[in-house]
Amino acid sequence: MNIRYRVELSQAERSKLTALLNGGKHSTRKLKRAQILLAADAGASDEDIAISVGVGGSTVYRTKRRFLVGNLEEALSEEPRPGASRKLSGKEEALLVATACSNPPEGRARWTLELLADELVRLTEHDSISRETVRRRLTENDLKPWRKDMWCIPHIDGEYVARMEDVLDLYAQVPDPKRPVVCFDESPTQLIGEVRQPIQAVPGQRERYDCEYRRNGTVNLFIFLDAHQPWRKVKVTDRRTAEDFAICMRELSDVHFPEADRIRVVLDNLSTHSPGALYQAFPPCEARRVLRRLEFHYVPKHASWLNMVEIEIGVLRGQCLDRRIATAERLVSEIAAWERQRNATRAQVKWMFTTEKARAKMGRAYPEPASTKTHPTKES
């Protein structure tokens, strides 16, 4: 038996390797090295060790050599691996990042890996740069220039702040049955029918439905939500015109809150959401009668998140409308069942954002009062 490096473990080393193999989370490579050392200590040949452990002969040779030349820890650890030097210097990598964050070339909607590689070749002395090099450097800097997120950037001025704090103060008030706070909004919904009947789920098989569907038009949902009480109401209509809005406001006054002295309505800035809509729908005396009991509070433009009913619309879509419903009649029935269950369980939206938190989180965005601005003084 020709063994170039003879491994002889101490009792402490054997115990350590045995414990390593019997428990704990370790890499596969480390466990195989432990098996190599124990087998070599038992007198097995390199060929037998390679076959039993499932490694190459060179791995057995290197592990035994690192143990004898160094120590047990060196034999179990990874040997440093020489790799190719980074193709891009720090300055060139910064140039890549700046280019990826700039506007794409004329005629292109966005930067791609190929475009960035070509641009870097043009800007540096490299003859070629692979797309993989570009991808790795962008990944290290958490950049994906071919992806975009859409969001609304509001202009926070005095009007924005005034409307925001007005709505937040309403939410923070003590509930008053005589002066309820009702959040209102609308949401369009498609009616979608099946072309082929879905296959119901059975044990071991999920429900299956065909990718093809039939569009049966759209309807509109008007949603009311009491900000302080566990009550909501959803009305399904064919349209969402100013007249439809006016009818909803009259129902809010006469049907849903007939005993209230004044109903404070939180709503967005849609053109139909105006007192004038009631004059378009009703005679002047009727419009005036309804409006005397309503008090409109508008959220800021581009700040629909301040309307509590937006949360309820999300719950409605997730719990009830996340499926194909073909007809308006079935939609009305399903929404009514959801509404009854939600009201019966006394579900409410727990609103946490307050005026104090708004001033703390958004204080730097608040407009600066004119009285605090410094004015230049005329030298005498």
Side-chain angles (χ1 to χ4, degrees):
M1 187 167 25
N2 182 19
I3 301 178
R4 185 173 179 181
Y5 291 107
R6 183 178 298 276
V7 174
E8 294 181 356
L9 299 173
S10 66
Q11 185 59 42
E13 290 171 335
R14 291 191 196 95
S15 301
K16 183 174 182 178
L17 292 175
T18 303
L20 182 71
L21 294 172
N22 289 337
K25 293 183 179 180
H26 305 283
S27 67
T28 302
R29 290 179 178 177
K30 189 171 186 177
L31 295 176
K32 286 183 178 295
R33 294 188 190 103
Q35 292 173 337
I36 290 170
L37 293 175
L38 287 172
D41 179 61
S45 66
D46 288 4
E47 293 78 8
D48 292 340
I49 295 173
I51 294 172
S52 62
V53 178
V55 296
S58 60
T59 301
V60 177
Y61 174 81
R62 287 195 305 270
T63 303
K64 294 168 64 177
R65 177 175 58 81
R66 286 170 63 82
F67 173 74
L68 292 172
V69 174
N71 53 40
L72 182 62
E73 292 301 325
E74 290 184 17
L76 294 175
S77 62
E78 287 279 353
E79 188 173 1
R81 299 182 179 185
S85 60
R86 295 170 74 97
K87 187 161 189 176
L88 300 181
S89 65
K91 184 177 180 180
E92 291 168 343
E93 186 172 329
L95 179 61
L96 171 63
V97 171
T99 303
C101 294
S102 66
N103 293 326
E106 186 176 358
R108 301 301 291 265
R110 60 189 62 84
W111 286 106
T112 64
L113 296 178
E114 290 80 5
L115 284 176
L116 288 169
D118 293 342
E119 183 68 8
L120 215 56
V121 168
R122 188 182 70 82
L123 296 174
T124 64
E125 297 181 356
H126 290 288
D127 295 329
S128 65
I129 296 175
S130 69
R131 68 190 304 276
E132 182 63 15
T133 296
V134 174
R135 185 193 67 79
R136 288 178 177 175
R137 300 295 84 78
L138 291 178
T139 300
E140 290 175 358
N141 290 277
D142 196 23
L143 272 177
K144 295 181 180 178
W146 50 88
R147 297 185 61 180
K148 295 181 180 179
D149 288 333
M150 178 181 288
W151 65 296
C152 183
I153 306 174
H155 175 62
I156 302 181
D157 55 9
E159 181 66 19
Y160 185 102
V161 171
R163 290 189 177 189
M164 177 180 67
E165 293 199 351
D166 174 54
V167 172
L168 294 178
D169 284 349
L170 281 180
Y171 294 161
Q173 290 181 10
V174 177
D176 184 358
K178 290 296 184 179
R179 304 182 72 234
V181 176
V182 178
C183 301
F184 173 85
D185 202 0
E186 61 266 314
S187 179
T189 296
Q190 289 193 74
L191 299 174
I192 299 179
E194 301 286 359
V195 175
R196 299 172 184 85
Q197 191 65 24
I199 301 175
Q200 295 296 322
V202 295
Q205 179 68 60
R206 289 177 293 183
E207 179 184 5
R208 289 173 288 174
Y209 61 93
D210 197 272
C211 61
E212 189 177 356
Y213 58 88
R214 183 181 293 108
R215 293 190 61 183
N216 297 330
T218 60
V219 294
N220 179 68
L221 308 180
F222 285 114
I223 304 97
F224 304 87
L225 175 73
D226 193 316
H228 296 131
Q229 301 296 330
W231 176 86
R232 73 271 302 135
K233 179 66 181 177
V234 182
K235 181 181 180 181
V236 181
T237 62
D238 295 329
R239 308 171 304 167
R240 58 170 189 173
T241 63
E243 289 77 8
D244 295 311
F245 169 75
I247 293 172
C248 283
M249 292 299 102
R250 184 165 68 174
E251 291 177 354
L252 181 66
S253 171
D254 298 349
V255 178
H256 303 310
F257 293 92
E259 303 299 325
D261 295 335
R262 197 152 185 87
I263 306 166
R264 295 171 289 179
V265 186
V266 176
L267 64 173
D268 61 23
N269 298 271
L270 194 64
S271 59
T272 57
H273 295 174
S274 68
L278 281 83
Y279 284 91
Q280 295 180 39
F282 310 126
C285 58
E286 178 66 1
R288 190 72 254 158
R289 180 190 70 82
V290 176
L291 285 173
R292 286 194 183 100
R293 303 190 62 238
L294 300 177
E295 181 181 295
F296 293 149
H297 294 260
Y298 295 96
V299 298
K301 292 181 179 180
H302 307 307
S304 58
W305 59 272
L306 280 167
N307 195 339
M308 197 183 293
V309 76
E310 293 287 342
I311 300 174
E312 193 69 14
I313 292 174
V315 175
L316 170 62
R317 294 203 171 277
Q319 293 183 348
C320 178
L321 304 182
D322 188 19
R323 51 182 163 159
R324 295 175 179 176
I325 299 178
T327 64
E329 291 75 16
R330 187 187 171 203
L331 181 70
V332 170
S333 175
E334 294 290 341
I335 289 179
W338 172 86
E339 179 187 298
R340 287 193 300 270
Q341 184 273 334
R342 188 110 169 117
N343 286 334
T345 57
R346 301 187 63 79
Q348 285 185 261
V349 174
K350 187 176 181 180
W351 188 264
M352 305 294 291
F353 197 60
T354 63
T355 299
E356 290 71 22
K357 289 182 179 180
R359 292 174 181 174
K361 292 179 177 292
M362 303 170 60
R364 288 185 295 179
Y366 272 51
E368 184 180 354
S371 59
T372 63
K373 295 180 180 179
T374 58
H375 299 281
T377 59
K378 186 176 180 179
E379 295 182 1
S380 57

